[in-house]
Amino acid sequence: MPDTPSPRTRTAVTERIIAHVTRGWPRLGEPVVRYRGQFCYVSAVLPGHRDPTPILRLRYQGSADHWAIAIYLASDDRYTESELPASFGPKTGTPEQGIDHTFILYAGPSSHH
């Protein structure tokens, strides 16, 4: 199993993330998606901010549909997979599930529910 997503997987997942965020939270504009090793980081410009705020980190689990989900803790300036709220849902899932579970905490409910 590859440790890091292939360029094709990165491109496909980036497109999925951008589509999901712009559909669900259109007021945030296009999210910033970047990769480092096995991680995919998603940031977005929240209302009242000029710079993108880190929100989500996905850790590659061998397929474009399976990632470990971590939320950014601004108070500690770090990402956590282990200290997620009990109401959070699955600790792993698709990029879209990761977005739904983390963006709601930073930007409120999505507009497509």
Side-chain angles (χ1 to χ4, degrees):
M1 184 169 91
D3 291 335
T4 58
S6 69
R8 210 172 81 212
T9 297
R10 289 180 182 204
T11 299
V13 169
T14 298
E15 289 171 358
R16 285 169 57 181
I17 289 170
I18 290 171
H20 197 69
V21 172
T22 53
R23 186 172 65 241
W25 292 268
R27 69 189 179 282
L28 299 184
E30 192 168 296
V32 178
V33 183
R34 60 192 174 82
Y35 293 85
R36 188 179 306 137
Q38 64 180 339
F39 296 109
C40 169
Y41 297 90
V42 182
S43 304
V45 178
L46 300 175
H49 293 250
R50 279 208 306 269
D51 298 316
T53 298
I55 294 177
L56 169 65
R57 184 190 72 195
L58 299 167
R59 182 164 49 85
Y60 189 61
Q61 303 285 294
S63 99
D65 283 322
H66 196 70
W67 300 76
I69 299 165
I71 190 166
Y72 181 73
L73 296 178
S75 55
D76 293 343
D77 191 32
R78 65 186 177 91
Y79 293 89
T80 181
E81 293 174 19
S82 59
E83 297 167 35
L84 297 169
S87 61
F88 184 79
K91 300 277 198 289
T92 61
T94 65
E96 290 84 358
Q97 288 170 317
I99 289 163
D100 287 343
H101 288 313
T102 55
F103 270 68
I104 193 168
L105 299 175
Y106 276 92
S110 85
S111 61
H112 70 259
H113 281 301

